[in-house]
Amino acid sequence: MASIGKIALSFASGMQETTLALANINFDFSMIKLAAPDEFGGLGASLSKKRKREAEDGLIHVTARKLGALFADDLPSTRNLANAYGLRVSEIAENPKLNPRGSDADGPLASHVGADGTSIWAAATSGKGALAVHLLACMLARIWSAPEATSIWDELITARREILQKRVQEQEFHITTVAAAHIEISRDKLAEWDASARSWLRTADTAKRRQQTQLMLIVENVGLPITSAAKVYDNVMEVWTKALTAVDKLVSGMAQNIQSSEVLLGLSAWHLYPDMCVLGKETTHVQQGDNLVKQGGLMTIGVRRAHSNASTEVSWSMSLAHLRYYGKPVLSEGSISSKSTRIPFDRLVLVAIGSSIDRFRRCSKIFGFVMEMS
Protein backbone atom coordinates (compact mmCIF):
# COMPACT_ATOMS: atom_id res chain seq x y z
CA MET A 1 0.00 0.00 0.00
CA ALA A 2 2.87 2.35 0.82
CA SER A 3 4.34 1.66 -2.62
CA ILE A 4 1.01 2.55 -4.29
CA GLY A 5 0.92 5.80 -2.31
CA LYS A 6 4.45 6.68 -3.43
CA ILE A 7 3.55 5.92 -7.05
CA ALA A 8 0.44 8.14 -6.85
CA LEU A 9 2.42 10.93 -5.20
CA SER A 10 5.16 10.62 -7.82
CA PHE A 11 2.57 10.70 -10.61
CA ALA A 12 0.88 13.80 -9.17
CA SER A 13 4.23 15.50 -8.72
CA GLY A 14 5.17 14.66 -12.28
CA MET A 15 1.88 16.04 -13.59
CA GLN A 16 2.43 19.27 -11.66
CA GLU A 17 5.97 19.65 -13.00
CA THR A 18 4.73 18.97 -16.53
CA THR A 19 2.02 21.60 -16.13
CA LEU A 20 4.52 24.17 -14.88
CA ALA A 21 6.91 23.34 -17.71
CA LEU A 22 4.15 23.73 -20.28
CA ALA A 23 3.10 27.02 -18.72
CA ASN A 24 6.59 28.38 -19.30
CA ILE A 25 6.64 27.53 -23.01
CA ASN A 26 6.84 30.64 -25.16
CA PHE A 27 4.04 30.18 -27.68
CA ASP A 28 4.55 32.34 -30.76
CA PHE A 29 1.05 33.06 -32.07
CA SER A 30 2.38 34.79 -35.18
CA MET A 31 3.90 31.55 -36.45
CA ILE A 32 0.60 29.96 -37.45
CA LYS A 33 -1.27 31.18 -40.53
CA LEU A 34 -4.06 29.13 -42.05
CA ALA A 35 -5.77 29.34 -45.42
CA ALA A 36 -8.93 31.41 -45.24
CA PRO A 37 -12.22 29.66 -46.07
CA ASP A 38 -13.22 29.98 -49.73
CA GLU A 39 -16.15 32.26 -48.83
CA PHE A 40 -13.69 34.97 -47.77
CA GLY A 41 -11.72 34.81 -51.03
CA GLY A 42 -13.33 37.94 -52.45
CA LEU A 43 -12.28 39.93 -49.41
CA GLY A 44 -8.70 38.69 -49.56
CA ALA A 45 -8.41 39.57 -53.24
CA SER A 46 -9.79 43.06 -52.63
CA LEU A 47 -7.63 44.15 -49.69
CA SER A 48 -4.74 46.51 -50.28
CA LYS A 49 -1.31 44.85 -50.15
CA LYS A 50 -0.49 46.67 -46.90
CA ARG A 51 -3.68 45.61 -45.14
CA LYS A 52 -3.39 42.03 -46.33
CA ARG A 53 0.23 41.83 -45.14
CA GLU A 54 -0.76 43.20 -41.73
CA ALA A 55 -3.66 40.77 -41.50
CA GLU A 56 -1.50 37.74 -42.31
CA ASP A 57 1.83 38.59 -40.71
CA GLY A 58 1.36 41.70 -38.59
CA LEU A 59 0.40 42.40 -35.00
CA ILE A 60 -3.33 42.31 -35.70
CA HIS A 61 -2.90 38.69 -36.86
CA VAL A 62 -1.26 37.91 -33.52
CA THR A 63 -4.19 39.59 -31.73
CA ALA A 64 -6.68 37.51 -33.70
CA ARG A 65 -4.78 34.31 -32.93
CA LYS A 66 -4.57 35.11 -29.23
CA LEU A 67 -8.24 36.05 -28.87
CA GLY A 68 -9.28 32.96 -30.80
CA ALA A 69 -7.15 30.72 -28.58
CA LEU A 70 -8.58 32.33 -25.44
CA PHE A 71 -12.25 31.75 -26.22
CA ALA A 72 -12.42 28.93 -28.78
CA ASP A 73 -13.09 26.09 -26.33
CA ASP A 74 -16.35 27.60 -25.04
CA LEU A 75 -17.87 28.90 -28.28
CA PRO A 76 -20.60 27.13 -30.27
CA SER A 77 -19.95 25.74 -33.74
CA THR A 78 -21.36 28.22 -36.28
CA ARG A 79 -20.28 26.99 -39.68
CA ASN A 80 -23.40 28.29 -41.44
CA LEU A 81 -22.89 31.77 -40.02
CA ALA A 82 -19.20 31.75 -40.98
CA ASN A 83 -20.06 30.82 -44.58
CA ALA A 84 -22.75 33.49 -44.89
CA TYR A 85 -20.58 36.15 -43.29
CA GLY A 86 -17.66 35.34 -45.57
CA LEU A 87 -19.87 35.72 -48.64
CA ARG A 88 -21.29 38.99 -47.31
CA VAL A 89 -17.94 40.64 -46.59
CA SER A 90 -16.61 39.46 -49.96
CA GLU A 91 -19.65 40.93 -51.71
CA ILE A 92 -19.05 44.30 -50.04
CA ALA A 93 -15.27 44.29 -50.53
CA GLU A 94 -15.59 43.49 -54.23
CA ASN A 95 -17.68 46.63 -54.84
CA PRO A 96 -15.21 49.19 -56.31
CA LYS A 97 -17.39 52.12 -55.24
CA LEU A 98 -17.16 51.04 -51.60
CA ASN A 99 -13.65 49.68 -51.77
CA PRO A 100 -11.65 51.72 -54.31
CA ARG A 101 -8.02 50.92 -55.05
CA GLY A 102 -5.35 53.38 -54.02
CA SER A 103 -3.39 55.01 -56.82
CA ASP A 104 -0.36 57.25 -57.27
CA ALA A 105 -2.73 60.21 -57.06
CA ASP A 106 -3.40 59.28 -53.42
CA GLY A 107 0.28 59.72 -52.54
CA PRO A 108 1.44 58.22 -49.24
CA LEU A 109 -2.16 57.42 -48.28
CA ALA A 110 -2.65 55.03 -51.22
CA SER A 111 -2.33 51.92 -49.03
CA HIS A 112 -5.01 53.26 -46.68
CA VAL A 113 -7.61 53.86 -49.41
CA GLY A 114 -10.62 51.52 -49.42
CA ALA A 115 -12.44 49.36 -46.94
CA ASP A 116 -10.61 48.23 -43.80
CA GLY A 117 -11.19 44.48 -43.71
CA THR A 118 -7.90 43.86 -41.89
CA SER A 119 -9.40 42.33 -38.75
CA ILE A 120 -11.73 40.12 -40.81
CA TRP A 121 -8.90 38.67 -42.91
CA ALA A 122 -6.74 38.29 -39.79
CA ALA A 123 -9.55 36.30 -38.17
CA ALA A 124 -10.24 34.25 -41.30
CA THR A 125 -6.58 33.14 -41.45
CA SER A 126 -6.22 32.47 -37.71
CA GLY A 127 -8.18 29.30 -37.16
CA LYS A 128 -10.65 28.15 -34.54
CA GLY A 129 -12.46 30.84 -32.57
CA ALA A 130 -10.88 33.82 -34.33
CA LEU A 131 -13.80 34.64 -36.61
CA ALA A 132 -16.20 34.49 -33.67
CA VAL A 133 -14.12 37.03 -31.75
CA HIS A 134 -14.18 39.32 -34.78
CA LEU A 135 -17.97 39.03 -34.78
CA LEU A 136 -17.96 40.00 -31.11
CA ALA A 137 -15.75 42.99 -31.96
CA CYS A 138 -18.41 44.13 -34.43
CA MET A 139 -21.16 43.71 -31.81
CA LEU A 140 -19.26 45.73 -29.23
CA ALA A 141 -18.31 48.41 -31.76
CA ARG A 142 -21.94 48.71 -32.80
CA ILE A 143 -23.29 49.55 -29.37
CA TRP A 144 -20.35 50.83 -27.27
CA SER A 145 -17.92 53.71 -27.71
CA ALA A 146 -14.28 52.88 -28.50
CA PRO A 147 -13.02 53.42 -24.89
CA GLU A 148 -15.90 51.35 -23.50
CA ALA A 149 -15.37 48.52 -26.01
CA THR A 150 -11.65 48.41 -25.24
CA SER A 151 -12.43 48.31 -21.52
CA ILE A 152 -14.84 45.40 -22.07
CA TRP A 153 -12.21 43.48 -24.04
CA ASP A 154 -9.64 44.06 -21.30
CA GLU A 155 -12.03 42.84 -18.62
CA LEU A 156 -13.06 39.81 -20.70
CA ILE A 157 -9.44 38.74 -21.17
CA THR A 158 -8.63 39.10 -17.46
CA ALA A 159 -11.64 37.00 -16.47
CA ARG A 160 -10.99 34.43 -19.19
CA ARG A 161 -7.39 33.92 -18.16
CA GLU A 162 -8.49 33.28 -14.57
CA ILE A 163 -10.96 30.64 -15.75
CA LEU A 164 -8.38 28.87 -17.90
CA GLN A 165 -5.75 28.99 -15.15
CA LYS A 166 -8.21 27.24 -12.83
CA ARG A 167 -8.71 24.53 -15.44
CA VAL A 168 -4.96 24.05 -15.65
CA GLN A 169 -4.74 23.76 -11.86
CA GLU A 170 -7.48 21.13 -11.92
CA GLN A 171 -5.43 19.23 -14.52
CA GLU A 172 -8.39 19.04 -16.92
CA PHE A 173 -6.93 20.76 -19.92
CA HIS A 174 -5.46 20.55 -23.39
CA ILE A 175 -2.06 21.93 -24.36
CA THR A 176 -3.87 24.89 -25.98
CA THR A 177 -5.50 25.70 -22.63
CA VAL A 178 -2.09 26.06 -21.02
CA ALA A 179 -1.01 28.45 -23.76
CA ALA A 180 -4.23 30.47 -23.66
CA ALA A 181 -4.12 30.81 -19.87
CA HIS A 182 -0.93 32.88 -20.16
CA ILE A 183 -1.94 35.11 -23.06
CA GLU A 184 -1.42 38.84 -22.66
CA ILE A 185 -2.79 41.53 -24.99
CA SER A 186 -2.13 45.21 -24.39
CA ARG A 187 -4.91 47.79 -24.42
CA ASP A 188 -3.27 49.42 -27.43
CA LYS A 189 -3.62 46.21 -29.42
CA LEU A 190 -7.22 45.81 -28.27
CA ALA A 191 -7.95 49.38 -29.34
CA GLU A 192 -6.52 48.62 -32.81
CA TRP A 193 -8.64 45.48 -33.01
CA ASP A 194 -11.74 47.51 -32.12
CA ALA A 195 -10.87 50.32 -34.55
CA SER A 196 -10.61 47.94 -37.51
CA ALA A 197 -14.01 46.40 -36.76
CA ARG A 198 -15.49 49.88 -36.26
CA SER A 199 -14.13 51.00 -39.62
CA TRP A 200 -15.59 47.96 -41.35
CA LEU A 201 -19.04 48.68 -39.88
CA ARG A 202 -19.07 52.09 -41.53
CA THR A 203 -18.30 50.58 -44.94
CA ALA A 204 -20.83 47.76 -44.57
CA ASP A 205 -23.55 50.11 -43.30
CA THR A 206 -23.15 52.15 -46.47
CA ALA A 207 -23.15 49.05 -48.67
CA LYS A 208 -26.36 47.67 -47.14
CA ARG A 209 -28.03 50.98 -46.36
CA ARG A 210 -31.58 49.99 -47.31
CA GLN A 211 -31.64 46.70 -45.41
CA GLN A 212 -29.75 48.18 -42.47
CA THR A 213 -32.17 51.10 -42.15
CA GLN A 214 -35.13 48.74 -42.32
CA LEU A 215 -33.63 46.51 -39.64
CA MET A 216 -32.86 49.45 -37.36
CA LEU A 217 -36.42 50.75 -37.68
CA ILE A 218 -37.64 47.36 -36.47
CA VAL A 219 -35.12 47.52 -33.63
CA GLU A 220 -36.58 50.87 -32.56
CA ASN A 221 -40.16 49.64 -32.67
CA VAL A 222 -39.34 46.55 -30.65
CA GLY A 223 -37.41 48.52 -28.01
CA LEU A 224 -36.13 45.48 -26.09
CA PRO A 225 -33.15 45.80 -23.75
CA ILE A 226 -30.29 43.33 -23.86
CA THR A 227 -30.11 40.91 -20.95
CA SER A 228 -27.79 42.16 -18.20
CA ALA A 229 -25.80 40.17 -15.66
CA ALA A 230 -23.78 41.15 -12.59
CA LYS A 231 -20.42 40.26 -14.13
CA VAL A 232 -19.20 41.65 -17.45
CA TYR A 233 -17.71 38.31 -18.51
CA ASP A 234 -20.91 36.35 -17.87
CA ASN A 235 -23.02 39.03 -19.52
CA VAL A 236 -20.95 39.29 -22.69
CA MET A 237 -20.54 35.53 -23.08
CA GLU A 238 -24.32 35.04 -22.80
CA VAL A 239 -25.14 37.79 -25.30
CA TRP A 240 -22.40 36.65 -27.68
CA THR A 241 -23.23 32.94 -27.71
CA LYS A 242 -26.99 33.56 -27.98
CA ALA A 243 -26.46 35.77 -31.02
CA LEU A 244 -24.00 33.33 -32.65
CA THR A 245 -26.31 30.34 -32.16
CA ALA A 246 -29.53 32.03 -33.28
CA VAL A 247 -28.07 33.70 -36.38
CA ASP A 248 -26.34 30.46 -37.39
CA LYS A 249 -29.72 28.75 -37.32
CA LEU A 250 -31.44 31.59 -39.17
CA VAL A 251 -29.03 31.61 -42.11
CA SER A 252 -29.29 27.81 -42.34
CA GLY A 253 -33.08 28.11 -42.82
CA MET A 254 -34.32 27.41 -39.29
CA ALA A 255 -37.00 29.79 -38.01
CA GLN A 256 -36.27 31.49 -34.67
CA ASN A 257 -38.53 33.15 -32.10
CA ILE A 258 -36.61 35.79 -30.15
CA GLN A 259 -37.58 37.45 -26.89
CA SER A 260 -34.61 39.78 -26.34
CA SER A 261 -32.33 41.92 -28.46
CA GLU A 262 -29.06 39.97 -28.53
CA VAL A 263 -29.92 38.55 -31.95
CA LEU A 264 -30.94 41.95 -33.31
CA LEU A 265 -27.61 43.39 -32.19
CA GLY A 266 -25.78 40.54 -33.92
CA LEU A 267 -27.70 40.97 -37.18
CA SER A 268 -27.10 44.73 -37.20
CA ALA A 269 -23.35 44.19 -36.69
CA TRP A 270 -22.95 41.32 -39.17
CA HIS A 271 -25.16 42.71 -41.97
CA LEU A 272 -27.31 39.63 -42.45
CA TYR A 273 -31.02 40.17 -43.00
CA PRO A 274 -33.57 37.40 -42.46
CA ASP A 275 -37.25 38.03 -43.11
CA MET A 276 -39.03 39.12 -39.93
CA CYS A 277 -42.45 38.77 -38.37
CA VAL A 278 -43.05 41.32 -35.59
CA LEU A 279 -45.94 40.49 -33.26
CA GLY A 280 -47.80 43.34 -31.55
CA LYS A 281 -51.19 44.97 -31.81
CA GLU A 282 -50.79 44.23 -35.48
CA THR A 283 -48.56 41.60 -37.00
CA THR A 284 -45.94 43.15 -39.27
CA HIS A 285 -44.16 41.11 -41.93
CA VAL A 286 -40.84 42.47 -43.18
CA GLN A 287 -39.39 40.94 -46.34
CA GLN A 288 -35.63 41.54 -46.54
CA GLY A 289 -34.92 39.15 -49.40
CA ASP A 290 -31.36 38.32 -48.32
CA ASN A 291 -30.06 35.54 -50.57
CA LEU A 292 -27.58 34.49 -47.88
CA VAL A 293 -30.43 33.45 -45.58
CA LYS A 294 -31.85 30.11 -46.72
CA GLN A 295 -35.58 29.65 -47.18
CA GLY A 296 -37.30 29.11 -43.85
CA GLY A 297 -34.99 31.40 -41.90
CA LEU A 298 -37.80 33.58 -40.53
CA MET A 299 -37.23 35.55 -37.33
CA THR A 300 -40.34 36.10 -35.20
CA ILE A 301 -40.07 38.88 -32.64
CA GLY A 302 -42.69 38.10 -30.02
CA VAL A 303 -42.22 40.85 -27.45
CA ARG A 304 -42.64 44.59 -27.79
CA ARG A 305 -42.12 47.32 -25.21
CA ALA A 306 -45.00 47.63 -22.80
CA HIS A 307 -45.24 51.42 -22.64
CA SER A 308 -45.38 53.89 -25.48
CA ASN A 309 -43.08 56.28 -23.60
CA ALA A 310 -40.41 53.61 -23.08
CA SER A 311 -37.00 53.93 -24.68
CA THR A 312 -37.05 53.33 -28.44
CA GLU A 313 -33.51 51.95 -28.51
CA VAL A 314 -31.90 48.61 -27.92
CA SER A 315 -29.81 49.25 -24.82
CA TRP A 316 -27.16 47.31 -22.90
CA SER A 317 -26.05 48.26 -19.39
CA MET A 318 -22.88 47.01 -17.69
CA SER A 319 -20.65 48.07 -14.82
CA LEU A 320 -17.18 48.43 -16.38
CA ALA A 321 -14.33 47.91 -13.93
CA HIS A 322 -11.56 48.55 -16.49
CA LEU A 323 -12.89 51.77 -18.00
CA ARG A 324 -10.69 53.77 -15.64
CA TYR A 325 -7.22 52.91 -14.43
CA TYR A 326 -8.30 53.51 -10.84
CA GLY A 327 -11.49 54.02 -8.84
CA LYS A 328 -14.79 52.18 -8.73
CA PRO A 329 -16.44 50.44 -11.69
CA VAL A 330 -18.36 52.78 -13.99
CA LEU A 331 -22.00 52.00 -14.75
CA SER A 332 -22.25 52.39 -18.53
CA GLU A 333 -25.01 51.99 -21.08
CA GLY A 334 -24.73 51.52 -24.82
CA SER A 335 -27.59 51.76 -27.29
CA ILE A 336 -28.35 51.51 -31.00
CA SER A 337 -31.12 52.97 -33.14
CA SER A 338 -31.75 54.13 -36.68
CA LYS A 339 -30.69 57.63 -35.65
CA SER A 340 -26.95 58.21 -35.79
CA THR A 341 -24.88 61.15 -34.65
CA ARG A 342 -22.09 60.14 -37.03
CA ILE A 343 -21.45 62.77 -39.74
CA PRO A 344 -21.06 61.25 -43.24
CA PHE A 345 -17.65 61.89 -44.76
CA ASP A 346 -18.96 64.05 -47.60
CA ARG A 347 -20.70 66.31 -45.11
CA LEU A 348 -17.60 66.37 -42.96
CA VAL A 349 -15.62 67.61 -45.98
CA LEU A 350 -18.16 70.39 -46.52
CA VAL A 351 -17.88 71.38 -42.85
CA ALA A 352 -14.07 71.49 -43.14
CA ILE A 353 -14.21 73.57 -46.34
CA GLY A 354 -16.74 75.94 -44.80
CA SER A 355 -14.59 76.35 -41.73
CA SER A 356 -11.53 77.12 -43.87
CA ILE A 357 -13.43 79.66 -45.97
CA ASP A 358 -14.77 81.35 -42.88
CA ARG A 359 -11.29 81.55 -41.39
CA PHE A 360 -9.95 82.99 -44.66
CA ARG A 361 -12.74 85.58 -44.71
CA ARG A 362 -11.96 86.66 -41.15
CA CYS A 363 -8.26 86.91 -41.98
CA SER A 364 -9.10 89.01 -45.07
CA LYS A 365 -11.14 91.40 -42.96
CA ILE A 366 -8.31 91.77 -40.46
CA PHE A 367 -5.81 92.32 -43.28
CA GLY A 368 -8.06 94.95 -44.82
CA PHE A 369 -8.46 96.71 -41.50
CA VAL A 370 -4.66 96.77 -41.01
CA MET A 371 -4.17 98.20 -44.52
CA GLU A 372 -6.68 100.95 -43.82
CA MET A 373 -4.91 101.86 -40.59
CA SER A 374 -1.46 102.00 -42.23
Coordinates of all heavy atoms in Angstrom, one line a residue, residues 23 66-67 69-71 74 153-169 177-186 233 322:
A23 N 3.5 25.6 -18.9 CA 3.1 27.0 -18.7 C 4.2 28.0 -19.1 O 4.0 29.2 -19.4 CB 2.7 27.2 -17.3
K66 N -4.5 35.2 -30.7 CA -4.6 35.1 -29.2 C -6.0 35.1 -28.7 O -6.4 34.3 -27.9 CB -3.8 36.3 -28.6 CG -2.3 36.2 -28.7 CD -1.6 37.4 -28.0 CE -0.1 37.2 -28.0 NZ 0.6 38.4 -27.4
L67 N -6.8 36.0 -29.3 CA -8.2 36.0 -28.9 C -9.0 34.8 -29.2 O -9.8 34.2 -28.4 CB -8.9 37.2 -29.5 CG -8.5 38.6 -29.0 CD1 -9.1 39.7 -29.8 CD2 -8.9 38.8 -27.5
A69 N -7.6 31.8 -29.5 CA -7.1 30.7 -28.6 C -7.8 30.9 -27.2 O -8.1 29.9 -26.5 CB -5.6 30.8 -28.5
L70 N -8.0 32.1 -26.8 CA -8.6 32.3 -25.4 C -10.0 31.8 -25.3 O -10.4 31.2 -24.3 CB -8.6 33.8 -25.1 CG -7.4 34.4 -24.4 CD1 -7.5 35.9 -24.4 CD2 -7.3 33.9 -23.0
F71 N -10.8 32.0 -26.4 CA -12.3 31.8 -26.2 C -12.7 30.5 -27.0 O -13.9 30.1 -26.8 CB -13.0 33.0 -26.7 CG -12.8 34.2 -25.8 CD1 -11.9 35.2 -26.2 CD2 -13.6 34.3 -24.6 CE1 -11.7 36.3 -25.3 CE2 -13.4 35.4 -23.8 CZ -12.5 36.4 -24.2
D74 N -15.0 27.4 -25.6 CA -16.4 27.6 -25.0 C -17.3 28.3 -26.0 O -18.4 28.8 -25.6 CB -16.3 28.4 -23.7 CG -15.7 27.6 -22.6 OD1 -15.5 26.4 -22.7 OD2 -15.3 28.2 -21.6
W153 N -13.2 44.5 -23.6 CA -12.2 43.5 -24.0 C -11.2 43.2 -23.0 O -10.9 42.0 -22.7 CB -11.5 44.0 -25.3 CG -12.2 43.7 -26.6 CD1 -12.7 44.6 -27.4 CD2 -12.5 42.4 -27.2 NE1 -13.3 44.0 -28.5 CE2 -13.2 42.7 -28.4 CE3 -12.3 41.1 -26.8 CZ2 -13.6 41.6 -29.2 CZ3 -12.7 40.1 -27.6 CH2 -13.4 40.3 -28.8
D154 N -10.7 44.2 -22.3 CA -9.6 44.1 -21.3 C -10.2 43.2 -20.1 O -9.5 42.3 -19.6 CB -9.2 45.4 -20.8 CG -7.9 45.4 -20.1 OD1 -7.0 44.6 -20.5 OD2 -7.7 46.1 -19.1
E155 N -11.4 43.6 -19.7 CA -12.0 42.8 -18.6 C -12.3 41.4 -19.0 O -12.2 40.5 -18.2 CB -13.3 43.6 -18.2 CG -13.8 43.2 -16.8 CD -14.8 44.2 -16.2 OE1 -14.8 45.4 -16.7 OE2 -15.4 43.9 -15.2
L156 N -12.8 41.2 -20.2 CA -13.1 39.8 -20.7 C -11.8 38.9 -20.7 O -11.8 37.8 -20.2 CB -13.6 39.8 -22.1 CG -15.0 40.2 -22.4 CD1 -15.3 40.2 -23.9 CD2 -15.9 39.2 -21.8
I157 N -10.7 39.5 -21.1 CA -9.4 38.7 -21.2 C -9.0 38.4 -19.8 O -8.5 37.3 -19.5 CB -8.4 39.5 -21.9 CG1 -8.8 39.6 -23.4 CG2 -7.0 38.9 -21.8 CD1 -7.9 40.6 -24.2
T158 N -9.0 39.4 -18.9 CA -8.6 39.1 -17.5 C -9.4 38.0 -16.9 O -8.9 37.0 -16.2 CB -8.8 40.4 -16.6 OG1 -8.0 41.4 -17.2 CG2 -8.4 40.1 -15.2
A159 N -10.8 38.0 -17.0 CA -11.6 37.0 -16.5 C -11.4 35.7 -17.1 O -11.4 34.6 -16.5 CB -13.1 37.4 -16.6
R160 N -11.2 35.7 -18.4 CA -11.0 34.4 -19.2 C -9.7 33.7 -18.8 O -9.7 32.5 -18.6 CB -11.0 34.7 -20.7 CG -10.9 33.5 -21.6 CD -12.1 32.6 -21.4 NE -12.0 31.4 -22.3 CZ -12.8 30.4 -22.2 NH1 -13.9 30.5 -21.4 NH2 -12.7 29.4 -23.0
R161 N -8.7 34.5 -18.6 CA -7.4 33.9 -18.2 C -7.5 33.2 -16.8 O -7.0 32.2 -16.6 CB -6.3 35.0 -18.1 CG -5.8 35.5 -19.4 CD -4.7 36.5 -19.3 NE -3.6 36.0 -18.5 CZ -2.6 36.7 -18.1 NH1 -2.6 38.0 -18.4 NH2 -1.6 36.2 -17.4
E162 N -8.3 33.9 -15.9 CA -8.5 33.3 -14.6 C -9.2 31.9 -14.7 O -8.9 31.0 -14.0 CB -9.3 34.2 -13.7 CG -8.5 35.5 -13.3 CD -9.3 36.5 -12.5 OE1 -10.6 36.2 -12.3 OE2 -8.8 37.5 -12.1
I163 N -10.2 31.9 -15.6 CA -11.0 30.6 -15.8 C -10.1 29.5 -16.3 O -10.1 28.4 -15.8 CB -12.1 30.9 -16.7 CG1 -13.2 31.7 -16.0 CG2 -12.8 29.6 -17.2 CD1 -14.3 32.2 -16.9
L164 N -9.3 29.9 -17.3 CA -8.4 28.9 -17.9 C -7.3 28.4 -16.9 O -6.9 27.3 -16.9 CB -7.8 29.4 -19.2 CG -8.8 29.7 -20.3 CD1 -8.0 30.2 -21.6 CD2 -9.6 28.5 -20.7
Q165 N -6.8 29.3 -16.1 CA -5.7 29.0 -15.1 C -6.3 28.0 -14.1 O -5.6 27.1 -13.6 CB -5.2 30.3 -14.5 CG -4.3 31.0 -15.4 CD -3.9 32.4 -14.9 OE1 -4.3 32.8 -13.8 NE2 -3.2 33.2 -15.7
K166 N -7.6 28.2 -13.8 CA -8.2 27.2 -12.8 C -8.3 25.8 -13.5 O -8.1 24.8 -12.8 CB -9.6 27.7 -12.4 CG -9.6 28.9 -11.5 CD -11.0 29.3 -11.1 CE -11.0 30.5 -10.1 NZ -12.3 31.0 -9.8
R167 N -8.6 25.8 -14.8 CA -8.7 24.5 -15.4 C -7.4 23.8 -15.5 O -7.3 22.6 -15.3 CB -9.2 24.7 -16.9 CG -10.7 25.2 -16.9 CD -11.1 25.3 -18.4 NE -12.5 25.9 -18.4 CZ -13.1 26.2 -19.5 NH1 -12.5 26.0 -20.7 NH2 -14.4 26.7 -19.5
V168 N -6.3 24.6 -15.7 CA -5.0 24.1 -15.7 C -4.6 23.5 -14.3 O -4.1 22.4 -14.1 CB -3.9 25.1 -16.1 CG1 -2.5 24.6 -15.8 CG2 -4.1 25.5 -17.5
Q169 N -5.0 24.2 -13.2 CA -4.7 23.8 -11.9 C -5.5 22.5 -11.6 O -5.0 21.6 -10.8 CB -5.2 24.8 -10.9 CG -4.3 26.1 -10.9 CD -2.9 25.8 -10.5 OE1 -2.6 25.0 -9.7 NE2 -1.9 26.5 -11.2
T177 N -5.0 25.0 -23.8 CA -5.5 25.7 -22.6 C -4.4 26.3 -21.8 O -4.5 27.4 -21.3 CB -6.3 24.7 -21.7 OG1 -7.3 24.1 -22.5 CG2 -6.9 25.5 -20.6
V178 N -3.3 25.6 -21.7 CA -2.1 26.1 -21.0 C -1.6 27.3 -21.7 O -1.3 28.3 -21.0 CB -1.0 25.0 -21.0 CG1 0.2 25.5 -20.2 CG2 -1.5 23.7 -20.3
A179 N -1.5 27.3 -23.0 CA -1.0 28.5 -23.8 C -1.9 29.6 -23.6 O -1.5 30.8 -23.3 CB -0.9 28.1 -25.2
A180 N -3.2 29.4 -23.7 CA -4.2 30.5 -23.7 C -4.3 31.1 -22.3 O -4.5 32.3 -22.1 CB -5.6 29.9 -24.0
A181 N -4.0 30.3 -21.2 CA -4.1 30.8 -19.9 C -3.1 31.9 -19.6 O -3.2 32.6 -18.6 CB -4.0 29.7 -18.9
H182 N -2.0 31.9 -20.4 CA -0.9 32.9 -20.2 C -0.8 34.0 -21.2 O 0.2 34.6 -21.4 CB 0.4 32.1 -20.0 CG 0.5 31.2 -18.8 ND1 -0.1 30.0 -18.8 CD2 1.0 31.4 -17.6 CE1 0.1 29.5 -17.6 NE2 0.8 30.3 -16.9
I183 N -1.9 34.1 -22.0 CA -1.9 35.1 -23.1 C -2.1 36.5 -22.5 O -2.8 36.7 -21.5 CB -3.1 34.8 -24.0 CG1 -2.8 33.7 -25.0 CG2 -3.5 36.1 -24.8 CD1 -3.9 33.3 -25.9
E184 N -1.3 37.4 -23.0 CA -1.4 38.8 -22.7 C -1.6 39.7 -23.9 O -0.9 39.5 -24.9 CB -0.2 39.3 -21.9 CG 0.0 38.6 -20.5 CD 1.2 39.2 -19.8 OE1 1.9 40.0 -20.4 OE2 1.5 38.7 -18.7
I185 N -2.5 40.6 -23.9 CA -2.8 41.5 -25.0 C -2.9 42.9 -24.4 O -3.7 43.2 -23.5 CB -4.1 41.2 -25.8 CG1 -4.1 39.7 -26.2 CG2 -4.2 42.0 -27.0 CD1 -5.4 39.2 -26.8
S186 N -2.1 43.8 -24.9 CA -2.1 45.2 -24.4 C -3.4 45.9 -24.8 O -4.0 45.6 -25.8 CB -0.9 46.0 -24.9 OG -1.0 46.2 -26.3
Y233 N -18.1 39.5 -17.8 CA -17.7 38.3 -18.5 C -18.9 37.4 -18.8 O -19.2 37.0 -19.9 CB -16.7 37.5 -17.7 CG -16.3 36.2 -18.4 CD1 -15.4 36.2 -19.4 CD2 -16.9 35.0 -18.1 CE1 -15.0 35.0 -20.1 CE2 -16.6 33.8 -18.7 CZ -15.7 33.8 -19.7 OH -15.4 32.6 -20.4
H322 N -12.8 48.2 -15.8 CA -11.6 48.5 -16.5 C -11.7 49.8 -17.3 O -10.7 50.1 -18.1 CB -11.1 47.4 -17.3 CG -10.6 46.2 -16.6 ND1 -9.7 45.3 -17.0 CD2 -11.0 45.8 -15.3 CE1 -9.6 44.3 -16.1 NE2 -10.3 44.6 -15.1

